[in-house]
Amino acid sequence: MRRLAAGLAAAALGATMVATAASPAFADPDVDPDVAGGHTSLQFDANPEPAWRGKPITLEGKLSVQCDEDYISGLVSVHHADYCKNQERWHRLGWKRIVILFQPDGSGKWEYVDTIRTSGKGYFATKVPARSSGTWRAVFEGAKWLAPSEATDWVKVVGRRH
């Protein structure tokens, strides 16, 4: 019985520590993610390469945060990798917004294409028609205690214009 009471007390103390650690993120909206932790990685791929004009291009990827750092995003917090598996270096981030942009070859401007969300397991995917060769870009704009990240992929589009 004494062990059970000690375990419950430790669990209550741990929950208090998590809530205490989380409170600065809500109190200070101007937290610098590079200082506070939460370095993110965005993996991104546009395929097939080359793509046929008018056929769909699949844009897919994965958003992750480094496991060995504390981070808080909304009401979700990870403290010293408590949600990361053994030997895992990155934890996938679910339900985050990813902005998809496109820059045609020869153009200096990025065109907005879509905003999608990562799945609960940190993956995202969408399909768009292939128009012309150019660079696709996926952007995670960051969140409270999470640094922004982005990735690009160039795709050549082949086939005649109609």
Side-chain angles (χ1 to χ4, degrees), residues 21-23 25-26 70-79 143-146:
S23 60
F26 299 112
D70 294 345
Y71 75 91
I72 298 172
S73 175
L75 299 175
V76 176
S77 62
V78 171
H79 299 280
K144 194 179 295 184
W145 291 65
L146 290 171

Side-chain angles (χ1 to χ4, degrees), residues 6-159:
L8 291 174
L13 180 60
T16 303
M17 291 172 71
V18 170
T20 303
S23 60
F26 299 112
D28 185 5
D30 298 324
V31 174
D32 182 0
D34 291 328
V35 174
H39 294 279
T40 59
S41 168
L42 184 65
Q43 295 176 358
F44 176 62
D45 186 40
N47 57 70
E49 296 177 45
W52 286 95
R53 187 173 320 279
K55 299 290 184 184
I57 295 177
T58 301
L59 308 172
E60 58 190 356
K62 174 176 69 170
L63 179 64
S64 306
V65 66
Q66 237 172 349
C67 280
D68 59 353
E69 299 178 13
D70 294 345
Y71 75 91
I72 298 172
S73 175
L75 299 175
V76 176
S77 62
V78 171
H79 299 280
H80 295 293
D82 60 354
Y83 289 127
C84 294
K85 297 176 184 167
N86 292 339
Q87 306 300 321
E88 191 174 50
R89 186 157 181 248
W90 294 89
H91 172 70
R92 292 185 302 275
L93 291 168
W95 315 115
K96 300 297 178 204
R97 275 191 323 200
I98 304 293
V99 177
I100 304 295
L101 305 168
F102 178 69
Q103 184 179 46
D105 284 352
S107 169
K109 295 183 179 183
W110 289 98
E111 301 171 4
Y112 171 82
V113 177
D114 199 4
T115 299
I116 55 178
R117 287 200 179 266
T118 59
S119 69
K121 296 189 178 197
Y123 294 96
F124 64 92
T126 189
K127 291 187 181 217
V128 295
R131 301 178 309 188
S132 63
S133 298
T135 304
W136 292 95
R137 180 176 172 195
V139 179
F140 170 62
E141 296 174 338
K144 194 179 295 184
W145 291 65
L146 290 171
S149 60
E150 63 181 66
T152 60
D153 193 9
W154 183 81
V155 175
K156 180 176 182 160
V157 174
V158 295

